[in-house]
Amino acid sequence: MITFLLFVVIPLDYPFINIYKRLKAWKFLVRNYICTMEGYMYILECSDGSFYVGSTHDLDLRLAQHQIGEGANYTKKLLPVKLIYYEYFARIDEAFYREKQVQGWSRRKKLALINNNNEQLPELSKANRDR
């Protein structure tokens, strides 16, 4: 995980409009830097057979963190974990969006994704009452 520590020193005699423009420029730069980082959405299988869905910019490092118990609290309790699926994205924010999407899926739908049964995904999106 990359953490940004940003210090902005602005003299008190600057008009407010200049402060606003400077902060807006910093926000633009940080947002564009983050969006140029590549990312991965991944699914791990835990020792009890459950799935953990996450996203990261460095898949190998994140998997190693999970394996030694420095990953998420959920996987820390269910070691060892095994990488069973991942998707690459050119932007980390797209990987994060996909993570949140897949986290909301049922186990059956995640299994269809893992097994590359893409034709089953629309059917598994329907509520049980509509099938």
Side-chain angles (χ1 to χ4, degrees):
M1 174 183 275
I2 295 177
T3 304
F4 291 98
L5 187 59
L6 181 64
F7 290 101
V8 179
V9 179
I10 302 172
L12 294 176
D13 60 346
Y14 272 51
F16 177 75
I17 192 70
N18 285 341
I19 294 171
Y20 175 76
K21 285 181 180 178
R22 288 174 186 263
L23 291 176
K24 192 173 179 183
W26 274 107
K27 184 178 178 183
F28 174 79
L29 290 173
V30 169
R31 184 183 320 127
N32 284 343
Y33 175 74
I34 290 172
C35 291
T36 59
M37 292 183 354
E38 62 186 15
Y40 299 88
M41 183 281 298
Y42 61 93
I43 302 176
L44 302 177
E45 184 176 21
C46 300
S47 61
D48 67 347
S50 62
F51 295 139
Y52 174 82
V53 181
S55 61
T56 184
H57 69 280
D58 187 341
L59 188 58
D60 294 328
L61 174 65
R62 189 64 177 148
L63 184 57
Q65 289 173 334
H66 280 294
Q67 293 291 12
I68 62 174
E70 292 181 0
N73 284 330
Y74 183 79
T75 59
K76 188 184 306 185
K77 301 170 191 167
L78 299 170
L79 293 174
V81 295
K82 182 173 73 172
L83 179 67
I84 56 174
Y85 182 81
Y86 72 92
E87 293 177 5
Y88 170 81
F89 295 89
R91 294 173 34 161
I92 188 70
D93 59 328
E94 293 171 348
F96 180 74
Y97 176 80
R98 180 68 166 164
E99 171 195 353
K100 295 304 172 192
Q101 180 184 32
V102 174
Q103 280 177 345
W105 290 1
S106 67
R107 179 177 177 83
R108 288 178 55 200
K109 190 168 180 180
K110 288 175 191 171
L111 280 170
L113 177 68
I114 292 164
N115 296 324
N116 203 21
N117 295 332
N118 296 330
E119 66 279 352
Q120 290 182 341
L121 294 178
E123 181 63 29
L124 293 171
S125 296
K126 296 178 184 174
N128 287 333
R129 68 178 182 277
D130 297 334
R131 287 188 199 154

